Amino acid sequence: MSPDLERIIALQKLVSAAHAAERRLAEEPEHETALEARLETARQGVAAAKERLAENQNARRAIEKDVAMHQGRLSKYREQAMAVKTNVEYHAIQKEIAHAQGEIKAHEDRMLERMLEADDLTAALKKAESDLAAEQKAVEADRKAMQAEHGVMQASIERISGERTAIVGALNKQVLLTFEQVSKKRNGIAVAEAKDGICTICHVRLRPQVFNTVRRNEEIVQCDSCNRILYFVAAVAPNASAQPAS
Ligand SMILES: [Zn+2]
């Protein structure tokens, strides 16, 4: 194969690898935003569970206050009952006592409901807190993996840049110019394999004479349609690799 064609193929591999690494780096802020959103959802879950529990506690305090008030009235009525002088007064105070007792009973029933609810809400809060802890752990691990990958990507970009400088330095200037022009026009892909008489990237059939030249891998030949620099990979004979050397 012509050395320049070999360099062009290697250069394309480096350019593509660098693009892939740069794309991964560019995705990091979005990835971080998604991680932060996961944490925020879990934090909101805990905050909402705490709020519901606090509401329950407030409601219980209000019921306790009401019960205390009705109990105060009840003892007052009982004292008054000792001092009544007429039947009418007696019946009236008994009615008040019964009413206060009814209120106390009703409040105690409501209190019991609220206490049962508090058990559920406490369990829900615990669940939300353990969900948050799990999310924090998962996000932490994800961030660590992202940081490690960041290091690998940076190192690979630097390594590629060094290798690229070496190849570019050795490459024929005209060929390099062609590579760069096509690369710019074709989304960073300036090289294409020709296979079965077809450019494998734009899928246009090459003229037989062009394909024959490409097959020899001795010249820089561009696809008539997409302008990419073409190369040919010789097919390995079906049995060549299966036969043990003897
Ligand atoms: Zn093409």
Side-chain angles (χ1 to χ4, degrees):
M1 185 183 276
S2 116
D4 272 341
L5 191 53
E6 227 167 296
R7 288 183 194 114
I8 275 294
I9 293 167
L11 183 57
Q12 182 62 61
K13 273 186 191 153
L14 292 177
V15 167
S16 297
H19 277 172
E22 276 156 12
R23 258 200 309 277
R24 294 290 296 168
L25 289 181
E27 280 165 7
E28 282 176 0
E30 200 182 324
H31 190 171
E32 176 51 37
T33 304
L35 292 182
E36 191 46 50
R38 269 174 66 182
L39 283 182
E40 187 51 30
T41 302
R43 282 192 211 109
Q44 280 171 2
V46 171
K50 277 185 179 163
E51 204 177 305
R52 281 194 296 272
L53 191 56
E55 276 166 17
N56 174 280
Q57 280 163 344
N58 287 340
R60 278 157 63 190
R61 266 194 291 270
I63 294 170
E64 273 167 8
K65 245 168 103 178
D66 281 352
V67 168
M69 182 190 76
H70 288 297
Q71 272 167 344
R73 280 183 191 169
L74 184 59
S75 9
K76 198 181 75 188
Y77 294 141
R78 277 180 176 147
E79 268 172 39
Q80 287 172 359
M82 313 271 244
V84 292
K85 298 200 170 57
T86 66
N87 246 346
V88 175
E89 273 176 350
Y90 178 77
H91 284 299
I93 207 85
Q94 285 304 324
K95 212 176 141 190
E96 293 291 357
I97 287 173
H99 177 72
Q101 282 171 332
E103 285 292 325
I104 290 168
K105 172 76 174 66
H107 279 80
E108 279 170 352
D109 287 347
R110 281 174 53 206
M111 181 60 115
L112 191 65
E113 278 170 29
R114 288 293 189 171
M115 283 166 79
L116 291 174
E117 187 188 66
D119 287 345
D120 291 343
L121 293 177
T122 303
L125 175 58
K126 269 194 180 155
K127 166 85 167 61
E129 280 170 341
S130 83
D131 285 351
L132 174 59
E135 280 295 71
Q136 279 168 333
K137 221 173 146 183
V139 164
E140 191 59 30
D142 209 318
R143 280 188 180 138
K144 267 194 182 152
M146 193 163 62
Q147 275 164 12
E149 199 197 10
H150 183 94
V152 170
M153 291 300 144
Q154 286 286 15
S156 128
I157 287 171
E158 276 166 38
R159 181 182 48 76
I160 287 168
S161 161
E163 287 177 22
R164 188 175 170 168
T165 305
I167 290 179
V168 163
L171 196 56
N172 172 290
K173 293 294 163 266
Q174 189 53 50
V175 175
L176 178 62
L177 192 66
T178 304
F179 177 88
E180 282 172 348
Q181 281 169 345
V182 178
S183 181
K184 210 167 169 184
K185 257 189 6 202
R186 297 292 174 196
N187 249 329
I189 312 283
V191 179
E193 183 186 348
K195 195 176 178 183
D196 302 328
I198 287 169
C199 165
T200 57
I201 296 190
C202 77
H203 304 292
V204 164
R205 182 162 290 281
L206 309 170
R207 283 175 288 135
Q209 190 195 340
V210 173
F211 186 56
N212 275 336
T213 313
V214 173
R215 280 178 73 108
R216 287 196 296 274
N217 280 332
E218 293 302 334
E219 287 173 48
I220 300 298
V221 181
Q222 289 175 261
C223 170
D224 281 339
S225 170
C226 71
N227 296 125
R228 291 188 175 92
I229 298 165
L230 298 167
Y231 66 94
F232 180 75
V233 179
V236 179
N239 290 326
S241 57
Q243 293 288 340
S246 51

